[in-house]
Structures are given as C-alpha cells and as structure tokens.
Amino acid sequence: MTVTSATPALDELRARLADINALTMARDVLSWDQSTHMPSSGARDRGRHMSVLNRLSHELFVSERTGELLAQADEETAGLPGDHIDSQLLAVVGRDYRRYTKVPPAFLERVSLHTSRTFHEWQQARPADDFARLRPLLEQTVELSREFSSYYTGIAHPADPLIDLADEGFTVATLRPLFARLRAGLVPLVEAVVDRDDSIPSPFQQFFAPDAQLEVGLELAQRFGYDLSRGRLDLAAHPFATSFGVDDVRITTRVDPHDLTQSLFSTLHETGHALYELGVDPRLSGTSLAQGASSGVHESQSRLWENLVGRSRAYWEWAGPFLAQRFPDQLGGVSVDAMYRAVNRVKRSLIRTDADELTYNLHVIVRFELALELLEGSLAVVDLPDAWRDRYQSYLGVAPTDDRDGVLQDIHWFAGMIGGSFQGYTIGNVLSVQIFEAAERALGPLDARFAAGDFGDLERWLRTELYRYGRRLEPLDLVERVTGSAMTVEPYLAYLRRKYGELHGA
Ligand code: ZN
C-alpha cells in the first residue's frame, strides 16, 4: 500500500528548508572554525568557501519554486488554526521570502563586494586611526543602506527595513521615544554613582592563569544549565555563541590573564545565548523556526544571565566563596561584598564592549541616533567623528581623543549596512528585566536559590515560557505573552535605580 501525503507541497517545502538549513549550518561551522582554530593564512580561501555556501542557500531560498511551494502549502493548510506549528512555519517563511525577494540579487552582490572591501580597509584603518581612508567607503555604505530601504514600500524611516531584519516589528517610531526616556533616566543616574569605588583596587585585577579561568568559566556555565554533551567552550577575540542545530550550541570567550572579569562575564553572557538556542523545541529542528525570535530577544537572555543573575548580590553569595576556593591565592579572604562591588563599578568609558551595566545603553544610544541621522541626511559622514565626540561628551561625560576608540571602534558599520545593528542590545537590556520580573512573579523570589547555587528553576521556567517557541511567535507577541505587557523601559530603570541606589546610597 502506498501512503500519499495530504500535504505534498508542505513536505517539499520542509525538505527544501532542511537543505537550506544544512548549507547555513555548514557555513556557520566554517565561520566558528575561522574565529577559533583556523591558522591566519587560511582566511582568503575560507572567505571564498563561506561565500559560496551563502550564495547557494540564498539562491535556493529566493527561487521561484520556494514561492510556488509557499502558495500551495498555504492552501493545503488553510483549515489549520493560526497557532498550529505548520501555520506558524508558513507565516515565518512567507515573511522571510517576501523580505528577501524584494531586493534585486544584483544589488545584494554590490553590497557584498562593498562590504568585504570596507571590512578589509577597516582592519587596517582602525589600528592606524585613519578615518579619512574609510570616509568615501562609509559614504557609499550610507547610500547603499538608503537604496536597500528604497526597495520596501510604505516605510516611514529609511532605517525601518534594516531594523526589521534584526528586530521584527520594531520601527524608528517605536524605538525613538523609548530610547529617549531611557537616556533621560540614565544620564542623571550615571552622574550620581560614577567612579564611586575608584580608589579601591579590584580583587579581580591580578594574575589568573588562563587555563584555570576557562575551566572555572565552564563550571559556572554548567551551573546555569549548559550541557557539555551539547556544547563546548573555545577562545575567540570577539566572543560569540553559535548554533549548529538544537543539540550543538557552542560558546566562546576571551581571556585577560590580569583581569578575571573579562572571561567570567563573556562566558556568562554567551551561556545565556546558548541556553536559549538549546531550549528550542526539537520539533522545530532544521526549519527557520529553530532559532531565537530576534536579536533583541536573544540579547535579553544573554543579559539576563550575565547581569540579572551574574551581577546580583545573591549570585555572589554563592559565586564568591566558590571562586575563592578555586583561586585561594588571589581571592581567599576577599569578602563577598568587595567582589559584588567590584563587578558593579560604574565608569565613564569609551569602549562599548567594556562598559558596565549602567553606562552600556548610552554607548548604544549614541550609535543608534547617529545612524538615523546619517540615513536621514542630517549628518554627513565627514562630520561623523566630531558628532561622535560631542555625543559621548554629553551622554557619558567623556570623549575619545582619536577615532580608533571613537567612531572606528565597532565592526558593525564596516561589515554591513548602517541602521539596524545596534538597537537589539538595548532592547535586550530592557526586556531582560521585564522577563526576569515575570519569572519571579511565577516562581517567587529567586535570591535564596541563587545564593545556594541553584539556577534550575529559572532555566526551566525560561525554557518552558520562552526558549521552546523559537521563532514561532513574532517578537512583540512573544514579549506580551511572556511578560504580560508590551516592551517598556520603566521596570528596567526602576531596577537600575534600586540596585545602584542601594550600592552607593544614592
Ligand atoms: Zn550578546
């Protein structure tokens, strides 16, 4: 007897998505290897290998056949409820398909060539502090970003399609007032507590053997629920987490032999990203749904584990004695309070990736605002370095003397388009508190459990309420469902005021 499927188009579409997924995963394995183990001379060939895999998966996805299958599969599943997994898969794939087929392949080719040239130049121009060399390229990047947006109709701001790619559903119109409220709350708060503990040396700024740092970091990650049969930890210059499927999600970290906090918080941050991906429902494996909902929701989980857990007093009640036992020469005899204060120092700093919890969003808001102004045409690229300095001076009270630690510091504008790459960091910080508070409403206060080194209840709740959905729900709907409200900055500001007020009696 032959069994014929009632949904042949959906079956063929799933098989096609699985092929695309395999090509994407292969590219990501190459990319992971490039950042962790590849000898430096391998870079030229590796770039070619990855771009071939990129092109093949893109062509397969945007082909007419994908469009036909989507239309037929929609008919096949017309009777299903909207929250059925097949309906959700078709909704997400349909949105992606429309998004990616709007833009002509020849344009994407131009962007890709321009981007690799710009990235190459940036690698030399940043150490040389040579903004002038990048200026004409950056002007083209602004033009290309505007051209990208011009393929989308009915948009209110040229950044909207770029934001939507990373953080679906968000727009300049929704983000601008949120970020403005956040900035208005943060600037005076930073002013009140900045540089308070500066005279006391940090117990973490001593020599800690790199191997021991990695070993301890991995133990801490496992405490959060990171499963080494489904993951591993390697070194990378710019730490990241990457998923090769629901059962292989890897993290990387960086080590400074003279500052334990670098590896410690990079590891906790990437563990948060990894727990999210490891918690995705295995039934979504091999489809476009088997990943985080958006860049902001992803970042909410790295920041939740890094900050709401890893920089809390309750966590240090447990982690302090644990680290003192692992590093008796450096940390034996250091009080929990001293450690807690040391990991929560607020400093005026120039580098986003080294920023503390309180000033971090101001670094992001500077970039978000400048990118919008570049796209609107109210700021010219030639004036960007000065605008950067002015904005830093007024929001953070400090300004770089060179461009290396100013406008050239981040890879984002030199390795892609301008307008959609920074908002996710701040959306993530804001959401991390809303989601954490929802967890405590459901589970009760978590302090005593953290102080005992028990993070299982939190991880299970997040997995059940958030992680398992992958991309089944749109980010804004997911946030509403998990937290019971829309995204709002007030809980985040209240958390920061409470925490830093208590730390500094402000
Ligand atoms: Zn992150």
Side-chain angles (χ1 to χ4, degrees):
M1 192 180 85
T2 346
V3 181
T4 43
S5 162
T7 54
L10 178 62
D11 296 346
E12 190 182 331
L13 181 67
R14 277 184 176 279
R16 176 172 281 251
L17 293 174
D19 286 356
I20 292 167
N21 183 254
L23 290 167
T24 311
M25 296 292 111
R27 178 205 60 195
D28 290 348
V29 173
L30 292 183
S31 168
W32 168 83
D33 174 71
Q34 182 174 37
S35 306
T36 52
H37 298 290
M38 188 187 78
S40 59
S41 301
R44 182 179 293 269
D45 282 343
R46 183 57 55 87
R48 191 167 47 81
H49 301 157
M50 283 162 47
S51 83
V52 170
L53 289 169
N54 250 342
R55 180 167 51 77
L56 291 176
S57 65
H58 184 74
E59 283 172 2
L60 203 50
F61 186 67
V62 299
S63 71
E64 278 178 31
R65 184 64 188 150
T66 305
E68 290 163 12
L69 290 171
L70 267 168
Q72 290 162 16
D74 270 337
E75 283 173 27
E76 288 171 356
T77 58
L80 292 177
D83 62 355
H84 189 279
I85 201 162
D86 289 339
S87 315
Q88 288 168 332
L89 176 67
L90 290 172
V92 168
V93 176
R95 286 202 301 275
D96 285 349
Y97 184 74
R98 285 188 292 280
R99 204 179 268 138
Y100 292 121
T101 49
K102 276 200 167 74
V103 183
F107 170 77
L108 291 175
E109 190 71 38
R110 270 197 289 140
V111 171
S112 154
L113 285 172
H114 171 73
T115 300
S116 48
R117 185 163 158 232
T118 308
F119 175 63
H120 181 76
E121 292 289 323
W122 173 75
Q123 284 179 308
Q124 343 232 320
R126 188 185 175 212
D129 189 29
D130 189 356
F131 179 77
R133 178 171 171 176
L134 283 164
R135 188 175 63 93
L137 290 167
L138 207 54
E139 283 165 350
Q140 282 179 51
T141 309
V142 172
E143 277 319 304
L144 287 167
S145 307
R146 294 177 59 90
E147 186 178 341
F148 175 82
S149 299
S150 73
Y151 296 112
Y152 295 80
T153 47
I155 54 158
H157 192 283
D160 284 346
L162 291 150
I163 290 172
D164 195 63
L165 274 185
D167 289 292
E168 190 174 24
F170 285 94
T171 61
V172 171
T174 54
L175 289 173
R176 210 160 1 205
L178 285 174
F179 285 10
R181 282 218 301 285
L182 188 57
R183 175 165 56 80
L186 283 173
V187 170
L189 187 52
V190 169
E191 200 57 51
V193 305
V194 75
D195 299 332
R196 282 291 191 91
D197 285 334
D198 240 17
S199 53
I200 312 156
S202 163
F204 299 110
Q205 284 173 357
Q206 308 181 49
F207 179 78
F208 291 85
D211 283 350
Q213 290 197 34
L214 289 175
E215 210 173 288
V216 164
L218 209 43
E219 284 184 64
L220 296 174
Q222 286 174 278
R223 271 278 166 173
F224 282 175
Y226 188 53
D227 172 2
L228 291 189
S229 74
R230 303 165 69 204
R232 54 176 287 132
L233 172 69
D234 292 271
L235 280 173
H238 305 283
F240 60 95
T242 185
S243 165
F244 309 141
V246 293
D247 286 316
D248 186 353
V249 182
R250 305 184 188 188
I251 58 173
T252 60
T253 195
R254 59 180 168 178
V255 170
D256 178 343
H258 301 283
D259 184 357
L260 180 64
T261 61
Q262 293 284 327
S263 71
L264 189 65
F265 289 104
S266 294
T267 304
L268 300 188
H269 180 97
E270 301 309 334
T271 300
H273 282 303
L275 291 175
Y276 190 177
E277 298 272 337
L278 287 169
V280 170
D281 184 342
R283 288 181 303 159
L284 306 179
S285 180
T287 73
S288 336
L289 302 185
Q291 53 183 295
S294 68
S295 94
V297 175
H298 230 303
E299 201 64 15
S300 79
Q301 293 315 293
S302 54
R303 298 301 260 179
L304 183 146
W305 287 101
E306 177 193 356
N307 289 336
L308 276 296
V309 183
R311 283 191 169 90
S312 70
R313 193 181 285 275
Y315 179 73
W316 282 90
E317 300 281 344
W318 172 78
F322 171 84
L323 289 173
Q325 194 214 339
R326 288 293 190 282
F327 298 109
D329 294 345
Q330 298 92 329
L331 298 176
V334 178
S335 72
V336 164
D337 190 63
M339 292 193 211
Y340 172 64
R341 285 178 177 278
V343 301
N344 285 295
R345 268 184 204 183
V346 179
K347 281 181 174 309
R348 301 186 197 278
S349 65
L350 296 172
I351 308 294
R352 175 184 60 87
T353 53
D354 294 341
D356 54 82
E357 188 181 15
L358 203 51
T359 57
Y360 188 90
N361 295 297
L362 295 173
H363 291 262
V364 174
I365 291 170
V366 166
R367 289 151 176 80
F368 179 75
E369 291 179 356
L370 294 176
L372 298 188
E373 289 162 28
L374 286 170
L375 289 175
E376 289 160 2
S378 57
L379 173 65
V381 169
V382 66
D383 298 323
L384 182 59
D386 282 338
W388 183 285
R389 275 185 270 279
D390 290 349
R391 211 66 57 106
Y392 259 77
Q393 193 62 53
S394 92
Y395 296 175
L396 285 128
V398 63
T401 49
D402 57 28
D403 295 327
R404 185 177 18 221
D405 289 341
V407 68
L408 297 179
Q409 76 177 262
D410 292 304
I411 183 175
H412 306 56
W413 289 346
F414 307 100
M417 287 184 281
I418 288 179
S421 43
F422 285 106
Q423 73 287 332
Y425 296 114
T426 284
I427 294 172
N429 282 326
V430 169
L431 290 179
S432 70
V433 171
Q434 282 184 264
I435 294 170
F436 187 81
E437 289 182 352
E440 285 207 312
R441 279 199 299 275
L443 299 169
L446 291 165
D447 276 4
R449 281 167 267 190
F450 292 173
D454 175 5
F455 311 99
D457 290 344
L458 178 61
E459 193 276 331
R460 272 186 295 279
W461 185 86
L462 289 166
R463 189 158 19 104
T464 312
E465 300 299 323
L466 176 59
Y467 300 168
R468 71 186 173 96
Y469 289 103
R471 273 183 85 198
R472 285 179 68 175
L473 301 170
E474 288 184 52
L476 296 175
D477 294 340
L478 183 66
V479 167
E480 189 95 43
R481 183 182 181 127
V482 175
T483 68
S485 74
M487 181 172 123
T488 157
V489 299
E490 276 67 31
Y492 180 60
L493 280 171
Y495 152 79
L496 291 174
R497 287 194 187 106
R498 210 162 50 235
K499 173 171 176 177
Y500 288 90
E502 204 179 279
L503 262 164
H504 299 288

